[in-house]
Amino acid sequence: MSTPQDPRRDPASPRTSADELREVVARKGSFVQTLKAVAWSFLGIRRGAGWQEDISRLNPVHVIVAGLIGAALFVGALVLLVRWIAASSPG
């Protein structure tokens, strides 16, 4: 999968890290695929082949957003669990 090159850039010049970053961010992985990959990461169970596939197709911006959402949901679930346990304990 290749992305179109910037017509203003000289093809003979070496690629810069900015060019590589633009290419990575332009990936077309869906946000649902990213949520699934992040969920597997939170569980800590993912095959190596699946991990390599995720790295090659997911947009890093989507991964960051999905990670933040997942972390917020995890912390919220922990807070609710602690409140429920504290409320049900004799006291």
Side-chain angles (χ1 to χ4, degrees), residues 22-55:
R22 281 188 206 98
E23 182 179 317
V24 169
V25 172
R27 291 181 185 162
K28 298 294 183 197
S30 76
F31 194 68
V32 173
Q33 290 172 330
T34 305
L35 288 175
K36 288 179 186 178
V38 169
W40 282 114
S41 298
F42 269 89
L43 292 175
I45 50 175
R46 186 74 168 144
R47 292 189 335 248
W51 182 76
Q52 288 294 335
E53 185 179 322
D54 289 342
I55 287 177

Side-chain angles (χ1 to χ4, degrees), residues 8-90:
R8 298 169 292 178
R9 191 173 80 72
D10 180 16
S13 67
R15 289 182 54 129
T16 63
S17 59
D19 293 333
E20 292 174 5
L21 181 61
R22 281 188 206 98
E23 182 179 317
V24 169
V25 172
R27 291 181 185 162
K28 298 294 183 197
S30 76
F31 194 68
V32 173
Q33 290 172 330
T34 305
L35 288 175
K36 288 179 186 178
V38 169
W40 282 114
S41 298
F42 269 89
L43 292 175
I45 50 175
R46 186 74 168 144
R47 292 189 335 248
W51 182 76
Q52 288 294 335
E53 185 179 322
D54 289 342
I55 287 177
S56 67
R57 69 178 175 176
L58 296 180
N59 185 327
V61 175
H62 291 173
V63 173
I64 292 169
V65 171
L68 291 173
I69 291 169
L73 290 173
F74 180 71
V75 169
L78 287 178
V79 168
L80 289 174
L81 178 66
V82 168
R83 285 185 179 179
W84 178 67
I85 291 172
S88 65
S89 67

